[in-house]
């Protein structure tokens, strides 16, 4: 049965009629946020103390300024180190009990760009073993753990390939450097496999830092309000600080909205430390920091760039990352996004046809050992039948 | 000397095939060139290149709008990206047991068979065998491919190779044969002779 367009249309009209007022409220809050940004722009010691005090009292997730004022804006440096860019991206096949053959796969694509050289590409695939698919605690591997293992494979591949380079390396990944552990595997529900994979994730991050491999996580169209949250915290009266986690006067104002008019094309914001309980799991050396970058050539288009603490402490490396990312984004024309990451994604992606082929290869191999696949679930078979389309009567 | 393959077969029928090659291999084949495809049973299939198609994709469409495209990005798209140049080949004969025939091959080549350019000696041997029987495969494709231009490109290359090998009569005989074959199709004859007139035959 098709969608009930009449009913949906009424709901659309109702939502749209409310959006004008909501937009006005958000604009008012944005104006207030802008005023607070200017008010606290240079009060870095006060802000750092506020964050420290609040973090001790409740789980806080916000920006913490370092040395640059809040309204800082810098153009990319004209002269900078020219590193080899290694971009990695992973894609995964999550195992599904509805599939004809149950398997899980991580495929990591790596793209290398060096000045004056023909770019190179490599790919590494990891098919989950039976033990990985079916953990000792029961059930099947979770999608969260598959995603964590994918991020781990990306970093391991970057580490391996960076080891082959002679000069400075910039290792790029899509998305944050921070790993936010899912709540259902934290604390009392801790999952040994997640803990083990996360420990490896931290270890490889540490090793990259130890070898001086500059790493950056590129977050496209970020929706976070880390800087806005800092301003809310700064504006909270001292006697209400204990309740500051519920004090959200600037709700629905994003950092991107706040900084869009303040960063000209190619400019970056100040570098901030990322304050959160997840970030504190990292060592002092590798703790995630970030800055915003306007990669738009005309209209502002902001990305968040996450970097480890040791990179945030080195202006030359920040300058190189800033300049390289602007260059990379401009390579893509009007839809600014790092070219190397786009290519890494293209290399990594597992198409539906490739997934089907791998399923057939596994079924063929299993048949040699007398193991026959169960076939698709009835639910999946029904879906497949519906997507087969209709045949026309030709007489 | 190692042979340089142009590309590998994507799809084929009994009258022709389409070969995929990287853009970086594109300096080898040219429109009208004679190519050969060795089969596993010792047969060699000969064909003329009648089309070279370069497809785009979403990324390329986006990149053409970028200002100051870097050399690295251009090289990446030509060397690495999986967008093969498709070279269409019209089969014009085969060779079995060192006997050149202008009949169609008994069976088409298979997926991923390698395609090689013909050397001047191979070109002379194939085009001098028999009585230009392979022209009929080209003429049969009238309306589907630009046969006047194809024949002009082929005749220009072959006449030069034949002349170097001492066979200066080849071009006159080839032209006469084309006139004979097209005597009942004035429009096509005119088009073919017009294209041949534009050939640079030094």
């Amino acid at each position: 049965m098709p969608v009930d367009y009449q009913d949906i249309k009424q709901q659309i009209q109702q939502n749209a009629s409310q959006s004008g007022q909501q937009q006005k409220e958000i604009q008012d809050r944005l104006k207030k946020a802008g005023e607070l940004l200017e008010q606290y722009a240079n009060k870095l010691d006060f802000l750092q103390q506020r964050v420290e005090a609040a973090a001790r009292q409740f789980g806080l997730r916000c920006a913490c300024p370092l040395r640059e004022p809040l309204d800082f804006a810098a153009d990319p440096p004209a002269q900078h180190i020219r590193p080899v860019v290694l971009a990695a991206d992973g894609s995964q096949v999550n195992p599904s009990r509805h599939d004809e053959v149950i398997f899980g796969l991580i495929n990591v694509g790596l793209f290398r760009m060096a000045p004056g050289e023909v770019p190179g590409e490599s790919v590494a695939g990891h098919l989950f073993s039976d033990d990985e698919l079916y953990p000792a605690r029961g059930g099947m591997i979770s999608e969260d753990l598959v995603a964590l293992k994918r991020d781990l494979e990306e970093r391991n591949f970057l580490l391996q390939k960076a080891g082959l380079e002679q000069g400075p390396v910039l290792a790029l990944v899509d998305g944050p450097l921070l790993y936010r552990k899912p709540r259902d595997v934290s604390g009392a529900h801790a999952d040994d496999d997640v803990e083990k994979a996360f420990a490896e994730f931290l270890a490889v991050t540490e090793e990259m830092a130890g070898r001086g491999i500059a790493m950056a996580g590129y977050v496209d169209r970020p929706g976070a309000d880390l800087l806005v949250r800092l301003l809310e915290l700064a504006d909270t009266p001292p006697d209400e600080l204990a309740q500051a986690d519920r004090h959200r006067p600037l709700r629905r104002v994003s950092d991107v909205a706040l900084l869009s008019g303040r960063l000209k094309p190619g400019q970056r914001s100040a570098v901030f430390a990322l304050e959160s309980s997840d970030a504190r799991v990292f060592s002092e050396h590798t703790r995630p920091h970030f800055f915003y970058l306007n990669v738009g050539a005309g209209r502002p288009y902001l990305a968040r760039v996450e970097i480890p603490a040791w990179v945030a402490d080195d202006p030359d490396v920040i300058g190189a990352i800033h300049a390289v990312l602007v260059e990379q984004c401009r390579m893509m024309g009007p839809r600014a996004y790092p070219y190397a990451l786009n290519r890494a994604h293209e290399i990594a992606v597992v198409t539906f046809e490739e997934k089907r082929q791998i399923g057939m290869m596994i079924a063929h191999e299993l048949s040699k050992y007398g193991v026959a696949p169960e076939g698709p679930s009835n639910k999946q078979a029904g879906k497949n039948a519906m997507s087969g389309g209709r045949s026309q009567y030709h007489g | 000397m190692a042979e340089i393959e142009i590309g590998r077969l994507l799809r084929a029928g009994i009258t022709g095939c389409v070969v995929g090659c990287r853009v970086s291999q594109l300096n080898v084949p040219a429109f009208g060139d004679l190519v050969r495809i060795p089969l596993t049973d010792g047969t060699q299939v000969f064909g003329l290149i009648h089309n070279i198609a370069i497809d785009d994709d979403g990324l390329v469409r986006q990149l053409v709008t970028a200002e100051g495209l870097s050399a690295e990005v251009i090289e990446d798209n030509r060397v690495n990206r999986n967008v093969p140049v498709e070279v269409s080949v019209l089969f014009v004969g085969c060779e079995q047991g060192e006997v050149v025939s202008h009949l169609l091959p008994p069976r088409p080549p298979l997926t991923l068979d390698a395609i090689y350019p013909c050397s001047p000696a191979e070109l002379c041997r194939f085009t001098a065998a028999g009585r230009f029987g392979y022209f009929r495969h080209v003429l049969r494709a009238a309306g589907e491919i630009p046969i006047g231009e194809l024949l002009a490109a082929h005749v220009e290359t072959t006449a030069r190779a034949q002349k170097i090998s001492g066979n200066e009569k080849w071009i006159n005989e080839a032209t006469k044969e084309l006139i004979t074959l097209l005597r009942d199709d004035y429009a096509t004859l005119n088009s073919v002779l017009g294209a041949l007139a534009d050939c640079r035959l030094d």
Side-chain angles (χ1 to χ4, degrees), chain A residues 207-357:
Chain A
E207 194 172 345
M208 287 182 99
R211 289 204 211 165
I213 301 162
M215 195 165 178
Y218 184 90
V219 184
D220 188 54
R221 192 181 275 184
D225 57 358
L226 300 163
L227 179 54
V228 171
R229 195 75 191 90
L230 172 70
L231 297 173
E232 286 178 331
L233 192 64
D235 204 39
T236 304
D239 55 338
E240 293 175 21
L241 200 59
Q243 289 84 42
D245 55 334
R246 292 188 290 275
H247 182 66
R248 300 303 316 269
L250 303 176
R251 195 173 62 87
R252 293 190 64 188
V253 176
S254 68
D255 290 354
V256 166
L258 179 62
L259 295 177
S260 276
R262 289 177 165 78
L263 297 176
K264 290 183 188 146
Q267 286 190 326
R268 74 161 174 88
S269 71
V271 177
F272 300 93
L274 180 56
E275 176 54 56
S276 82
S277 54
D278 291 315
R280 284 179 180 258
V281 178
F282 288 73
S283 70
E284 280 299 313
H285 205 47
T286 60
R287 206 172 135 188
H289 287 53
F290 69 91
F291 59 85
Y292 285 96
L293 179 62
N294 182 3
V295 294
R299 275 192 318 170
Y301 190 91
L302 269 62
R304 190 173 74 245
V305 180
E306 294 196 358
I307 49 176
W310 74 269
V311 169
D313 284 336
D314 189 330
D316 289 341
V317 181
I318 291 181
I321 292 174
H322 179 181
V324 167
L325 282 175
V326 171
E327 275 171 22
Q328 284 280 327
C329 288
R330 292 198 173 147
M331 287 175 191
M332 292 290 285
R335 297 239 169 231
Y337 181 78
Y339 179 80
L341 277 177
N342 189 282
R343 289 283 289 111
H345 171 75
E346 186 183 37
I347 297 162
V349 73
V350 181
T351 64
F352 183 79
E353 177 55 26
E354 287 169 334
K355 181 188 167 191
R356 198 183 66 82
Q357 287 283 352

Side-chain angles (χ1 to χ4, degrees), chain B residues 72-108:
Chain B
E72 290 90 347
V73 171
I74 294 170
E75 282 299 297
D76 177 42
N77 279 272
R78 290 185 178 174
V79 177
N80 294 320
R81 294 196 65 240
N82 190 21
V83 187
V85 172
E86 292 197 354
V87 176
S88 300
V89 176
L90 179 77
F91 294 155
V92 290
C94 59
E95 181 180 15
Q96 288 176 302
E98 299 197 354
V99 177
V100 171
S101 162
H102 289 168
L103 291 170
L104 286 174
R107 64 191 68 82

Side-chain angles (χ1 to χ4, degrees), chain A residues 58-301:
Chain A
F58 50 85
L60 180 70
R61 186 174 151 76
C62 77
C64 184
L66 300 178
R67 294 167 295 276
E68 295 156 338
L70 302 188
D71 57 357
F72 178 87
D75 288 314
Q79 301 288 326
H80 60 87
I81 309 160
R82 301 209 66 90
V84 170
V85 177
L86 298 177
D89 195 30
S91 69
Q92 72 271 29
V93 174
N94 283 309
S96 166
R97 61 195 162 84
H98 294 292
D99 283 348
E100 186 160 1
V101 180
I102 298 173
F103 72 97
L105 174 80
I106 289 171
N107 202 45
V108 180
L110 191 136
F111 186 72
R112 176 187 184 276
M113 268 185 117
E117 291 181 35
V118 176
E121 47 185 24
S122 15
V123 69
H126 172 75
L127 186 71
F128 288 148
S129 67
D130 216 49
D131 287 345
E132 286 176 296
L133 276 180
Y134 302 102
R137 62 183 281 167
M140 199 185 285
I141 186 170
S142 68
E143 290 190 8
D144 287 323
L145 183 52
V146 174
L148 174 58
K149 285 185 176 239
R150 179 204 59 211
D151 290 354
L152 180 59
E153 295 274 347
E154 283 175 10
R155 282 148 178 79
N156 274 322
F157 204 19
L158 280 169
L159 186 63
Q160 177 202 332
K161 292 290 181 183
L164 306 175
E165 301 293 344
Q166 302 298 319
V169 172
L170 168 58
L172 271 181
V173 292
D174 179 54
L177 293 187
L178 184 76
Y179 173 71
R180 296 175 77 178
K181 211 181 283 181
R183 295 213 168 143
D184 58 353
V185 293
S186 303
H189 303 99
D191 180 329
D192 290 345
D193 292 308
V194 172
E195 296 299 331
K196 184 167 169 275
F198 187 54
E200 285 177 42
F201 180 89
L202 291 176
V204 74
T205 304
E206 203 65 44
E207 194 172 345
M208 287 182 99
R211 289 204 211 165
I213 301 162
M215 195 165 178
Y218 184 90
V219 184
D220 188 54
R221 192 181 275 184
D225 57 358
L226 300 163
L227 179 54
V228 171
R229 195 75 191 90
L230 172 70
L231 297 173
E232 286 178 331
L233 192 64
D235 204 39
T236 304
D239 55 338
E240 293 175 21
L241 200 59
Q243 289 84 42
D245 55 334
R246 292 188 290 275
H247 182 66
R248 300 303 316 269
L250 303 176
R251 195 173 62 87
R252 293 190 64 188
V253 176
S254 68
D255 290 354
V256 166
L258 179 62
L259 295 177
S260 276
R262 289 177 165 78
L263 297 176
K264 290 183 188 146
Q267 286 190 326
R268 74 161 174 88
S269 71
V271 177
F272 300 93
L274 180 56
E275 176 54 56
S276 82
S277 54
D278 291 315
R280 284 179 180 258
V281 178
F282 288 73
S283 70
E284 280 299 313
H285 205 47
T286 60
R287 206 172 135 188
H289 287 53
F290 69 91
F291 59 85
Y292 285 96
L293 179 62
N294 182 3
V295 294
R299 275 192 318 170
Y301 190 91

Side-chain angles (χ1 to χ4, degrees), chain A residues 6-24:
Chain A
Q6 285 296 342
D7 180 46
I8 294 291
K9 190 180 176 187
Q10 280 182 4
Q11 294 181 49
I12 290 170
Q13 287 169 338
Q14 196 180 346
N15 289 351
S17 68
Q18 294 166 359
S19 63
Q21 180 59 30
Q22 284 168 352
Q23 277 306 309
K24 190 182 172 305

